[in-house]
Amino acid sequence: MRKLGISIYPDKSSVEEMKAYIVKAHDAGFSRIFSCLLSVDKPKEIIKQEFTEINTFAHEHGFEIIVDVSPKVFGELEIGYDDLSFFHEIGADGIRLDAGFGGQTEAMLTFNEYDLKIEINMSNDTNYIDTIMDFQPNQYNLIACHNFYPHPYSGLNEEHFLNCTRRFTKYGLRSAAFVASKNPEAYGPWPVDYGLVTLESHRDLPLHVQIKDYVARNVIDDIIISNFVPSDEELAEVKKINLTKVNLEVELVEGLPELFKKIVLEEPHFNRGDINDYLLRSTMSRVKYKGEAFPVINAPEMIRRGDIVIESDQFGHYAGELNIAKKDMKNTGKSNVVGRVVEQEVFLLDHIKPWQKFEFTL
């Protein structure tokens, strides 16, 4: 099951602020937390006290907590790699290793006596994970997560992201990546914050569209909001997202007949396996509604990329089939344009694979 996550920064936020966010996020369907120890500069006992309080509250609301650490954190807090009791005592469910240790150490850490998850960085296209697997870890305690990149133009490109991700998911490891709130008051762990995204292509997109993109790609398990905190409006949009299939927000043509509207909004859709360059084809509606009337009601001269089409009776046995245009094309005069995908989500069409399920929302 795909999870949504949030990030908290105990060195920058009050306990009251974090608790309020946890409650809101829980209500919106979130269930994991990225918590950062990298930038905390306090005595060990104070850290233990503050992290224990907020982690206990998070557990009461059903959250899993992964704490970001580094060799520097281990050194400053005098924690040995053979004794992870500190993280157990503060209520963490796992630790994220911001930097690697060579492979054998990571493998040994997965056998820790507290059954903590060991999360590793998956944003480098190297044999790192293969080396860890060579040392025979407890793979049920091994998970992976991409980095986020607050500096403009420093996020991962598409090819690198996919190459890195495949290296980890080929072992069946649970994976995660970051998206960023567009709330101007949101912040991360460092002074620079132009959107803490994993993918550079996400930096200027609305939060809910970033999440929809990961759902459409279907190569990442968990999706984590990197900055603290998103707006209530953003959380409301995220709450609407179906995490199991591609979501496309649409605008329908005014005065659309009820049958056309029902096909778009209520019928299940999937992209046929025998794909082409021009259309995503969802064909079950033409079977279910065979014999129903599908008159020509709106057949513009051109069909534009992102247009939703329902074929008319004039196309014979294709009548009632729903298509989404992937390219601009000339209309034969027989195809009804019944609506279109909102502009900021049209790019999601490029990620819909053969047989992949999708749905439309207003």
Side-chain angles (χ1 to χ4, degrees):
M1 182 177 179
R2 177 173 281 121
K3 295 180 181 179
L4 293 177
I6 62 172
S7 301
I8 59 175
Y9 301 100
D11 62 316
K12 295 183 179 298
S13 311
S14 69
V15 171
E16 291 73 22
E17 288 173 326
M18 289 186 287
K19 287 183 176 180
Y21 183 23
I22 287 169
V23 170
K24 287 182 179 181
H26 169 74
D27 292 342
F30 290 72
S31 59
R32 67 171 285 178
I33 287 176
F34 167 85
S35 184
C36 187
L37 256 175
L38 298 184
S39 55
V40 177
D41 186 20
K42 295 179 181 178
K44 186 173 183 177
E45 288 307 311
I46 298 298
I47 292 174
K48 182 180 290 189
Q49 177 184 339
E50 292 179 352
F51 273 71
T52 300
E53 180 178 357
I54 196 62
N55 290 348
T56 299
F57 184 82
H59 280 151
E60 291 170 354
H61 287 77
F63 281 84
E64 175 189 48
I65 303 129
I66 307 296
V67 178
D68 201 23
V69 298
S70 66
K72 180 172 178 283
V73 170
F74 275 86
E76 290 180 350
L77 297 181
E78 299 178 333
I79 299 170
Y81 299 125
D82 58 346
D83 180 9
L84 303 184
S85 57
F86 173 83
F87 303 108
H88 173 69
E89 289 166 5
I90 66 172
D93 298 294
I95 58 175
R96 181 181 188 271
L97 305 178
D98 185 60
F101 296 89
Q104 185 172 15
T105 298
E106 289 90 335
M108 289 300 298
L109 286 172
T110 63
F111 291 95
N112 68 88
E113 63 181 299
Y114 305 106
D115 216 26
L116 297 172
K117 295 286 190 294
I118 305 301
E119 185 172 78
I120 52 179
N121 180 352
M122 60 186 294
S123 288
N124 293 302
D125 190 12
T126 67
N127 293 323
Y128 173 52
I129 181 57
D130 303 306
T131 302
I132 294 174
M133 299 306 292
D134 285 344
F135 284 106
Q136 298 298 307
N138 172 6
Q139 66 188 65
Y140 301 106
N141 276 344
L142 189 63
I143 58 177
C145 181
H146 277 285
N147 277 344
F148 55 65
Y149 299 90
H151 192 287
Y153 309 112
S154 66
L156 303 184
N157 69 30
E158 312 284 321
E159 182 180 7
H160 183 80
F161 168 79
L162 290 172
N163 288 341
C164 293
T165 300
R166 291 186 188 109
R167 283 185 176 273
F168 291 80
T169 55
K170 72 180 180 183
Y171 291 111
L173 301 183
R174 189 166 192 88
S175 60
F178 289 97
V179 292
S181 164
K182 302 299 288 183
N183 181 2
E185 298 179 3
Y187 54 84
W190 314 118
V192 175
D193 182 356
Y194 289 85
L196 285 72
V197 292
T198 293
L199 277 168
E200 186 59 38
S201 60
H202 284 177
R203 197 172 301 276
D204 296 320
L205 293 177
L207 174 62
H208 68 283
V209 178
Q210 297 172 51
I211 294 174
K212 286 183 178 186
D213 188 24
Y214 279 130
V215 174
R217 292 170 184 275
N218 201 30
V219 294
I220 287 290
D221 295 309
D222 299 344
I223 305 164
I224 306 168
I225 300 176
S226 57
N227 43 4
F228 183 100
V229 300
S231 67
D232 290 347
E233 291 76 17
E234 286 179 312
L235 288 178
E237 286 292 331
V238 172
K239 190 174 182 179
K240 299 176 188 176
I241 298 174
N242 184 338
L243 297 175
T244 67
K245 63 175 72 171
V246 182
N247 299 210
L248 297 168
E249 184 181 343
V250 298
E251 298 165 339
L252 298 182
V253 170
E254 286 188 27
L256 200 62
E258 282 304 310
L259 179 56
F260 287 71
K261 192 172 181 180
K262 180 181 177 67
I263 289 173
V264 175
L265 298 177
E266 298 179 26
E267 293 300 329
H269 299 289
F270 63 85
N271 185 25
R272 277 177 60 123
D274 48 349
I275 59 174
N276 62 83
D277 289 336
Y278 290 88
L279 298 168
L280 294 168
R281 299 180 61 202
S282 176
T283 56
M284 294 309 295
S285 56
R286 85 182 195 202
V287 177
K288 181 174 181 178
Y289 296 103
K290 184 178 181 181
E292 295 282 352
F294 290 98
V296 176
I297 59 169
N298 183 43
E301 182 178 346
M302 292 297 297
I303 296 173
R304 296 182 297 145
R305 171 172 160 83
D307 279 349
I308 302 165
V309 173
I310 292 181
E311 301 294 6
S312 74
D313 296 324
Q314 294 186 24
F315 255 127
H317 73 281
Y318 290 98
E321 176 173 317
L322 181 142
N323 299 322
I324 314 174
K326 294 192 288 185
K327 293 183 178 182
D328 293 352
M329 66 192 82
K330 192 171 183 178
N331 196 342
T332 60
K334 302 176 182 180
S335 298
N336 288 307
V337 173
V338 298
R340 66 177 285 102
V341 178
V342 297
E343 289 301 327
Q344 65 188 7
E345 296 186 13
V346 169
F347 80 97
L348 296 176
L349 302 178
D350 298 330
H351 299 316
I352 299 178
K353 293 168 279 295
W355 304 112
Q356 192 167 8
K357 283 60 177 177
F358 60 91
E359 67 180 15
F360 301 109
T361 58
L362 294 176

